[in-house]
């Protein structure tokens, strides 16, 4: 387990502690990043057990590589890149013919869930459920790469440059992928335009430009 | 993509999140990583089977390349139309009169195109190959 003192340290401090021989610092890094690493690998594979295998393997690689880590990039970016590369290798080894049958809608629906704290008022419950279903469907309809870009951008709040590094593609490709993902999301969502709403193909639930966070 | 696009998407996604890992997956997670570190070599339990399948995928990719390069590197035989006139007519009165590409050849080209598209899907072996879209475009008219 991580000691309380280590938990308060930044990633950079933890890495320095690890490099100076305190192996327990690696536990803190694991505790801090395992959930996102699991989610990333899961977005790639759709199976938690595979995601666990991948993320743990990535941590093993990180353990050995951290001794030479010089902090040229943020640890999170470096490590999530490692996770994605491991996931890519793993998936190609385990499912080399996956493109014959993947992208099935029933698998994709499982990637997202409604926040427990987002429980709507009773009078809006039905509308909210409909919107959630549309969001789920629209997200599920995205091709794998667009879904990854979309998820890293909107669920993990990562900047485009970091997404590009993690997915090992150019920033331009990320921008293009995000553009197409948003267009496809809009098309899938496709509520009828309501009077008084902002431009939108999103429909009645869209905020005004000023009102949106 | 504009900032307004992002705002609207974020508004729609406000009640949605990526699924959290189940408790069973998180249980004993760190200890298992330490086990792997102390006992290297235990990974990818399905690898032998996967390796065989991967070889098959490589063979498919090779076949795709071969199919892809064949029509581009070889000029069409000049006597195709003359030969087609000599094709024995099918029994019955509905046999084609004009020279046509045999159905079997059409099927082959359509299948080849499908293989190329499979290989070029997200995560496919040819996904990042720059010439893939051009070659598919080249192959497409031949298959239609």
């Amino acid at each position: 387990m991580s000691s309380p003192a280590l938990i308060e340290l930044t990633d950079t401090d933890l890495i320095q502690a690890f490099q100076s021989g305190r192996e327990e610092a690696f536990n803190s890094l694991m505790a801090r990043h395992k959930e996102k690493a699991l989610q990333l690998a899961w977005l790639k594979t759709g199976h938690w057990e595979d995601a666990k295998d991948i993320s743990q393997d990535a941590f093993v690689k990180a353990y050995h590589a951290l001794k030479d880590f010089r902090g040229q990039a943020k640890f999170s970016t470096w490590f999530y890149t490692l996770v994605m590369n491991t996931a890519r290798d793993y998936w190609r080894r385990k499912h080399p013919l996956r493109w014959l049958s993947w992208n099935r809608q029933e698998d994709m629906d499982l990637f997202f869930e409604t926040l427990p704290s987002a429980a709507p008022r009773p009078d809006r419950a039905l509308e909210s459920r409909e919107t959630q279903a549309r969001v789920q469907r629209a997200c599920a309809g995205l091709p794998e790469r667009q879904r990854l870009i979309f998820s890293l951008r909107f669920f993990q709040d990562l900047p485009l440059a970091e997404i590009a590094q993690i997915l090992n593609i150019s920033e331009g490709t990320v921008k293009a992928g995000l553009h197409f993902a948003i267009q496809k999301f809009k098309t899938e969502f496709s509520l009828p335009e309501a009077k008084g709403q902002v431009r939108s193909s999103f429909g009645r639930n869209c905020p005004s430009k000023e009102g949106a966070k | 993509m504009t900032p307004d696009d992002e705002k609207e998407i974020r508004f729609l996604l406000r009640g949605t999140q990526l699924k959290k890992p189940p408790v069973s997956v998180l249980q004993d997670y760190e200890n298992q990583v330490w086990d792997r570190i102390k006992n290297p070599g235990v990974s990818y339990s399905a690898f032998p089977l996967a390796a065989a399948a991967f070889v098959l995928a490589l063979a498919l990719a090779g076949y795709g390349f071969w199919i892809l390069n064949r029509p581009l590197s070889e000029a069409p035989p000049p006597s195709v139309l003359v030969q087609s006139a000599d094709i024995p007519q099918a029994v019955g009165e509905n046999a084609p009169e004009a020279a046509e590409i045999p159905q079997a050849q059409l099927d082959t080209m359509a299948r080849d195109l499908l293989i190329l598209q499979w290989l070029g899907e997200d995560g496919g072996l040819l996904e990042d190959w720059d010439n893939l879209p051009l070659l598919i475009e080249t192959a497409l008219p031949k298959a239609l």
Side-chain angles (χ1 to χ4, degrees):
Chain A
M1 292 294 288
S2 307
S3 68
L6 284 174
I7 288 174
E8 293 171 7
L9 295 179
T10 64
D11 284 354
T12 307
D13 294 336
L14 285 172
I15 291 166
Q16 283 174 354
F18 174 76
Q19 288 173 334
S20 62
R22 296 182 65 187
E23 288 216 326
E24 69 270 25
F26 192 71
N27 260 339
S28 295
L29 285 171
M30 274 197 281
R32 195 171 289 176
H33 294 283
K34 67 181 177 187
E35 190 170 303
K36 272 193 176 180
L38 275 162
Q39 285 179 321
L40 263 182
W42 180 63
L43 275 170
K44 183 79 179 170
T45 65
H47 300 282
W48 284 116
E49 284 305 319
D50 286 339
K52 184 178 182 179
D53 204 10
I54 289 163
S55 60
Q56 289 186 330
D57 203 53
F59 273 119
V60 173
K61 290 177 183 172
Y63 174 87
H64 293 297
L66 263 185
K67 294 182 173 76
D68 299 319
F69 185 78
R70 293 287 170 264
Q72 301 91 330
K74 274 167 61 183
F75 171 76
S76 57
T77 308
W78 176 80
F79 178 63
Y80 297 145
T81 306
L82 194 56
V83 172
M84 289 310 294
N85 289 339
T86 307
R88 196 174 296 120
D89 292 344
Y90 179 93
W91 199 239
R92 280 182 172 162
R93 285 174 183 176
K94 194 167 183 183
H95 303 282
L97 301 178
R98 73 213 174 281
W99 55 74
L100 296 179
S101 61
W102 82 348
N103 239 11
R104 292 175 305 165
Q105 181 80 15
E106 60 267 32
D107 289 340
M108 301 300 164
D109 282 341
L110 303 175
F111 280 114
F112 308 95
E113 63 187 4
T114 305
L115 281 169
S117 59
R121 286 172 15 201
D123 58 326
R124 293 188 178 172
L126 180 62
E127 184 185 19
S128 177
R129 274 200 299 273
E130 285 175 3
T131 304
Q132 287 301 317
R134 284 174 184 271
V135 168
Q136 293 271 5
R137 190 191 59 209
C139 289
L142 299 176
E144 188 218 10
R145 179 180 280 186
Q146 288 178 21
R147 188 177 70 249
L148 279 168
I149 294 172
F150 189 87
S151 300
L152 290 172
R153 181 64 177 165
F154 293 116
F155 292 111
Q156 310 277 18
D157 285 324
L158 295 180
L160 299 182
E162 211 166 316
I163 296 171
Q165 196 170 341
I166 289 172
L167 298 181
N168 197 23
I169 54 181
S170 71
E171 197 171 332
T173 306
V174 172
K175 283 181 185 170
L178 193 58
H179 170 78
F180 287 122
I182 288 174
Q183 296 310 312
K184 191 167 173 62
F185 185 93
K186 286 180 176 181
T187 305
E188 292 284 334
F189 195 86
S190 68
L191 283 171
E193 187 168 346
K195 190 177 179 182
Q197 291 288 332
V198 178
R199 71 188 171 91
S200 189
S201 52
F202 289 97
R204 62 180 181 273
N205 286 319
C206 285
S208 66
K209 290 174 187 173
E210 295 75 22
K213 280 188 189 176
Chain B
M1 183 189 66
T2 67
D4 287 337
D5 282 333
E6 287 217 30
K7 283 180 184 174
E8 290 178 353
I9 295 280
R10 286 185 192 283
F11 181 81
L12 283 170
L13 296 176
R14 70 197 181 284
T16 309
Q17 66 177 5
L18 281 179
K19 269 198 170 177
K20 299 277 185 189
V23 177
S24 61
V25 170
L26 292 171
Q27 204 167 24
D28 208 29
Y29 185 94
E30 285 90 343
N31 287 335
Q32 290 172 6
V33 173
W34 283 115
D35 282 347
R36 286 180 178 218
I37 290 170
K38 307 296 180 196
N39 305 296
V42 183
S43 186
Y44 302 153
S45 56
F47 181 70
L49 182 63
F54 191 64
V55 169
L56 179 63
L58 281 179
L60 264 176
Y63 178 65
F65 274 114
W66 178 70
I67 291 296
L68 195 62
N69 289 324
R70 188 181 54 173
L72 291 177
S73 59
E74 295 176 8
S79 57
V80 166
L81 291 178
V82 176
Q83 286 178 344
S84 66
D86 294 331
I87 293 173
Q89 297 292 309
V91 178
E93 297 180 1
N94 295 327
E97 294 177 10
E100 293 179 5
I101 300 175
Q103 185 59 41
Q105 194 176 343
L106 280 175
D107 290 344
T108 303
M109 287 191 288
R111 184 198 59 204
D112 295 343
L113 181 64
L114 196 58
I115 289 172
L116 285 174
Q117 287 174 330
W118 279 341
L119 294 174
E121 287 283 348
D122 278 340
L125 291 177
L126 303 180
E127 179 190 359
D128 295 323
W129 190 38
D130 293 340
N131 292 330
L132 182 66
L134 176 65
L135 288 171
I136 286 180
E137 279 178 22
T138 310
L140 185 60
K142 294 176 187 294
L144 295 179

